[in-house]
Amino acid sequence: MSPRPEGRYEFVVVANRLPVDRVEEPDGRSDWRQSPGGLVTALQPVMQQADGAWIGWTGAADEDLEPFDHSHMRLVPVRLSGDEVEKFYEGFSNGTLWPLYHDVIVPPTYHREWWDSYVTVNRRFAQAAAEQAAEGATVWVQDYQLQLVPAELRRLRPDLRIGFFNHIPFPPYEIFAQLPWRRQVIEGLLGADLLGFQRGQDASNFLRACRRAVGLTRRGHTIVVRDPQGRSRRVHARAFPISIDARALDRLARSEETRERVKALRSELGDPRLVVLGVDRLDYTKGIQHRLKAYGELLEDGRVDPSEVVLVQVATPSRERVEQYRLLRDEIELTVGRLNGDHSTIGLPAVHYLHHSYPREEMVALYQLADVLLVTSLRDGMNLVAKEYVASRYDERGVLVLSEFTGAADELTNALLVNPHDIQGVKDTIVRALQMPEREQARRMRTMRKRIIEYDVARWAREFLHALRHPEDE
Ligand code: GDG
């Protein structure tokens, strides 16, 4: 089916998920609630100004839903069958691309049927965008699940301005080259006018992959491609580090409700113990096992006394139908169980392990409570948790221990940077963080807060869209 010549939306976002979650009302009906993510917060003002539509999946299989309006946006659901959820989403997106793009921390799986499903679903997203976009509209495609959408969309609608942002790292060519469909992925991405990455290194890796996989050489940030009609077109690729709504978090952290909650939590945790916090999706890229190993050894060595310090680890449930994630959960829970068995006393667990998702307010209270925040990712596109911690610390207290292998480490250079593979280094850094004088905490926190407040998520969206609409400035 060919799309209608044009839809009516001037600004179209295409993302794997719609920015709403289904909620069950007490009367048994279900309704939609805006998801808490930063992306929707950042794009909402643009959506409202420009008459915007958002194309994505609801998260449930085999669901046929008509487009509907919510939070001043047109939401356009894309259907995925159960088989596609398995092959496109859990398979190719989370079992092939996710580990491949995160330095093959676990081995990626390559299945031809998963790839076929990825192609089919990417075409469906492109078709939906082609139907909604007005003549000459701006379309912004999000993330690794949809890398073929830019080229497919350009084929259907050459009049559009197409941007793409990759939220996860783009790997070095030596790793990317494993992908049997590397050429098709690069060609898919090159359908865009502007490709955004988290770090300069990701953009360089992509530009290098263009030369190695499809023989196109760069000029600075730009690659010149030839359309099938023989016309040449310029594609720009560079870093636009994503951020958070820092002012909103700062406000929430200062609120009376949060202060009360912090007080209550502190006494529940056994005041005056110091709190070391980890907050992650339960994912093997986050280095949760490395962190537990380091912390466990500190308890073992007696360098950390569990009556004085407690580790709180929030591990938000994630991708629970994927085998590797189930194994990881078992492994982490076994380790936490052992640590608590060896080091807890009644009423004073050495580690609080929380496998749930919390409301935003509770997260901010935890950030306020944390004397040390541990981010030990083995590879992470950005890591918003690190930025959220900094934004919440209006009191300029607290120490951020941050893995060098996060995008955030490029900006938050005043954190205590660690190599999560160096367990001795992580141990020493945790001890240093726990002993850091308040003046040094404040000095470091102040510099990091300045950066986060200046470069917030609204600025990220503004700079990307400006670059997309004004390629002459590139
Ligand atoms: C990908 C890239 C990149 C977590 N638990 C709860 C909760 N969260 C929120 C955090 C934070 C977000 O989820 C997690 O973001 P991260 O950036 O840390 O990590 P990924 O989910 O892996 O995100 C990453 C990001 O995309 C954006 O481009 O930075 O590198 O991997 O906002 O606060 N929020 C609430 N309850 C929880 O239990 N409310």
Side-chain angles (χ1 to χ4, degrees), residues 193-195 200 203-204 206-207 218-224 234-239 474:
D193 297 292
L194 176 65
L195 293 156
S204 308
F206 170 77
L207 289 164
R218 61 191 278 187
R219 247 185 139 202
H221 294 296
T222 306
I223 289 203
V224 178
R234 294 157 78 82
V235 181
H236 306 285
R238 66 177 177 88
E474 285 295 298

Side-chain angles (χ1 to χ4, degrees), residues 12 22 78 85 161 213 368 422 447:
V12 179
R22 205 189 298 271
V78 173
V85 173
R161 210 176 269 282
Q368 267 294 308
D422 171 13
T447 321

Side-chain angles (χ1 to χ4, degrees), residues 48-103:
Q48 285 167 11
Q49 272 166 30
D51 202 7
W54 187 305
I55 289 160
W57 174 45
T58 59
D62 293 311
E63 196 172 46
D64 272 312
L65 282 179
E66 287 302 311
F68 58 99
D69 291 320
H70 193 278
S71 321
H72 310 286
M73 287 179 276
R74 183 70 167 166
L75 301 185
V76 183
V78 173
R79 184 182 198 276
L80 291 191
S81 68
D83 184 63
E84 286 164 346
V85 173
E86 229 172 80
K87 293 177 178 154
F88 153 77
Y89 179 65
E90 291 161 1
F92 200 76
S93 298
N94 292 337
T96 306
L97 293 172
W98 180 267
L100 182 74
Y101 282 28
H102 287 90
D103 288 357

